[in-house]
């Protein structure tokens, strides 16, 4: 079933904002294992996203202080591969040193820092439209967070939602995520539409999460994800994997292409492993990788 793919992805590439979304997928319980029966309206998203788009939490640090809704965004800009242990379990001292060197190299990368700062400024502007004046601030700037397969440069922006605004207002003010568009947002989206020749991205680079009746929410950015729809022969799944990167004035073609492949690698590996567990062959599953590049502009100083 599609949930088997999610479990494989979750095991091989655990991420803090992972999600499984299943829409209109009947199941056949006639065998020892549950089998999905996809239809034309079926959609499944198996996400191992490391990126939080926006969250809202209720906070009241003291009974005499009024309850407030705190917003948080954690955009990612900057990715490099981690060292894979030769024995598959633990890194040697030499491997650990190389892994640390890669993390520090990412931290000092001028190109990645320029990208990250641009998106931080963009999200500060988006959040300030619905947050109380003076509350939007950068809690962490260009922090390096390490995941199972990659190091990533992550910033954290926080603010207090205005008394007249809700989580929905925050989504309206900030969607789509700045890390997926670049800045200035409207113009870069127009450029992306031209460069991608009006090809629909589907769920990729959108957002998946929950909204609660108490005003809270937590939404990810749909990256490092497999999107499953009905294949052309109408009796199997088609799996699409979106991957891309930010193009700036400091970009190098080969580096950008390698980074794009790195981002897709864990998900592609999970789908290939899932295919071996299925009665279908990889061709019947319809595995293909859709590459989408995000276009952004940065001025050189």
């Amino acid at each position: 079933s599609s949930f088997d793919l999610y479990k494989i992805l979750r095991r091989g590439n655990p991420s803090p904002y992972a999600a499984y979304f299943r829409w209109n997928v009947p199941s056949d319980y006639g065998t020892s294992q549950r089998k999905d029966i996809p239809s034309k309206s079926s959609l499944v998203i198996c996400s191992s996203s490391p990126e939080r788009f926006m969250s809202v939490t209720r906070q009241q640090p003291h009974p005499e202080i009024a309850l407030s809704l705190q917003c948080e965004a954690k955009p990612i800009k900057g990715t490099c591969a981690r060292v894979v242990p030769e024995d598959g379990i633990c890194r040697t001292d030499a491997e650990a040193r190389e892994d640390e060197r890669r993390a520090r190299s990412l931290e000092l990368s001028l190109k990645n820092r320029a990208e990250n700062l641009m998106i931080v400024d963009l999200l500060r502007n988006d959040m300030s439209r619905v947050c109380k004046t003076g509350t939007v601030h950068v809690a962490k700037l260009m922090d390096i967070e390490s995941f199972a397969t990659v190091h990533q440069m992550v910033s954290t922006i926080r603010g207090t939602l205005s008394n007249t605004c809700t989580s929905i207002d925050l989504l309206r003010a900030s969607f789509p995520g700045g890390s997926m568009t670049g800045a200035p947002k409207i113009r870069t989206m127009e450029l992306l539409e031209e460069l991608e020749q009006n090809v629909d991205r589907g769920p990729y680079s959108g957002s998946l999460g929950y909204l609660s009746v108490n005003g809270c929410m937590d939404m990810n950015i749909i990256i490092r994800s497999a999107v499953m729809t009905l294949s052309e022969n109408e009796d199997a799944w088609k799996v699409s994997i979106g991957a891309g990167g930010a193009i700036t004035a400091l970009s190098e073609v080969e580096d950008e292409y390698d980074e794009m492949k790195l981002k897709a690698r864990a998900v592609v590996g999970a789908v290939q492993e899932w295919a071996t567990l299925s009665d279908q062959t990889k061709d019947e599953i319809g595995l293909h990788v859709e590459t989408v590049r995000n276009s952004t502009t940065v001025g050189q100083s």
Side-chain angles (χ1 to χ4, degrees):
S1 70
S2 56
F3 191 60
D4 292 324
L5 171 56
Y6 175 68
K7 289 189 290 185
I8 293 170
L9 184 59
R10 187 181 178 92
R11 183 185 70 242
N13 191 44
S15 301
Y17 308 110
Y20 175 74
F21 177 85
R22 177 187 174 99
W23 175 259
N24 199 22
V25 185
S27 295
D28 179 7
Y29 292 90
T31 61
S32 59
Q33 292 184 341
R34 188 180 76 180
K35 183 178 180 180
D36 292 337
I37 307 175
S39 65
K40 290 183 178 179
S41 59
S42 295
L43 172 67
V44 174
I45 303 173
C46 301
S47 176
S48 61
S49 175
E51 182 171 358
R52 168 177 280 160
F53 170 42
M54 285 286 173
S55 72
V56 175
T57 56
R58 294 162 62 92
Q59 293 189 13
Q60 188 174 19
H62 190 275
E64 296 182 2
I65 299 177
L67 184 144
S68 63
L69 294 177
Q70 298 295 314
C71 315
E72 181 180 88
K74 297 191 69 173
I76 292 175
K77 270 289 164 262
T79 303
C80 72
R82 298 202 65 178
V83 174
V84 178
E86 188 173 351
D87 63 5
I89 302 176
C90 295
R91 294 180 180 86
T92 64
D93 289 344
E95 289 172 338
R97 287 193 295 270
E98 173 58 18
D99 191 59
E100 178 65 18
R101 186 199 66 78
R102 293 184 185 184
R104 297 289 74 78
S105 178
L106 174 63
E107 184 179 28
L108 298 174
S109 167
L110 180 61
K111 181 253 184 187
N112 286 304
R113 293 179 70 86
E115 283 183 33
N116 199 288
L117 183 60
M118 173 182 63
I119 304 308
V120 167
D121 284 341
L122 175 60
L123 283 170
R124 286 173 58 218
N125 178 72
D126 288 346
M127 294 173 68
S128 67
R129 295 164 60 188
V130 293
C131 286
K132 294 180 179 179
T133 302
T135 65
V136 176
H137 64 284
V138 180
K140 291 183 181 179
L141 183 63
M142 305 179 193
D143 193 36
I144 301 300
E145 295 187 2
S146 300
F147 298 90
T149 59
V150 295
H151 296 295
Q152 306 214 275
M153 185 181 288
V154 185
S155 291
T156 303
I157 307 102
R158 294 178 181 145
T160 302
L161 203 60
S162 170
N163 294 334
T164 60
C165 294
T166 66
S167 298
I168 299 296
D169 295 315
L170 176 61
L171 286 177
R172 286 179 175 147
S174 56
F175 189 84
S179 62
M180 293 287 104
T181 65
K185 184 179 284 189
I186 300 298
R187 180 54 184 148
T188 54
M189 290 173 65
E190 292 171 348
L191 292 171
L192 285 169
E193 189 172 19
E194 295 173 11
L195 292 170
E196 295 171 12
Q197 301 177 347
N198 298 318
V199 174
D200 189 349
R201 290 187 178 189
Y204 167 69
S205 76
S207 188
L208 177 60
Y210 71 84
L211 293 100
S212 176
V213 293
N214 68 356
C216 298
M217 75 169 183
D218 205 352
M219 309 293 288
N220 72 8
I221 293 287
I222 302 180
I223 54 176
R224 319 292 197 274
S225 302
V227 177
M228 307 174 70
T229 54
L230 184 67
S231 68
E232 287 75 6
N233 58 22
E234 297 193 353
D235 63 357
W237 285 114
K238 178 177 75 173
V239 182
S240 301
I241 301 166
I247 308 303
T248 75
L250 300 177
S251 294
E252 297 290 341
V253 175
E254 293 301 325
D255 291 344
E256 295 292 346
Y257 187 69
D258 289 343
E259 182 177 325
M260 182 192 67
K261 292 193 295 182
L262 169 64
K263 291 172 178 177
R265 186 171 64 190
V267 187
V268 170
V271 173
Q272 290 172 336
E273 181 180 343
W274 175 71
T276 64
L277 302 178
S278 173
D279 293 333
Q280 307 169 93
T281 65
K282 291 178 186 178
D283 291 336
E284 288 173 333
I285 289 174
L287 171 64
H288 66 283
V289 177
E290 298 174 349
T291 59
V292 181
R293 293 175 175 82
N294 298 334
S295 176
T296 59
T297 53
V298 173
Q300 289 182 305
S301 57

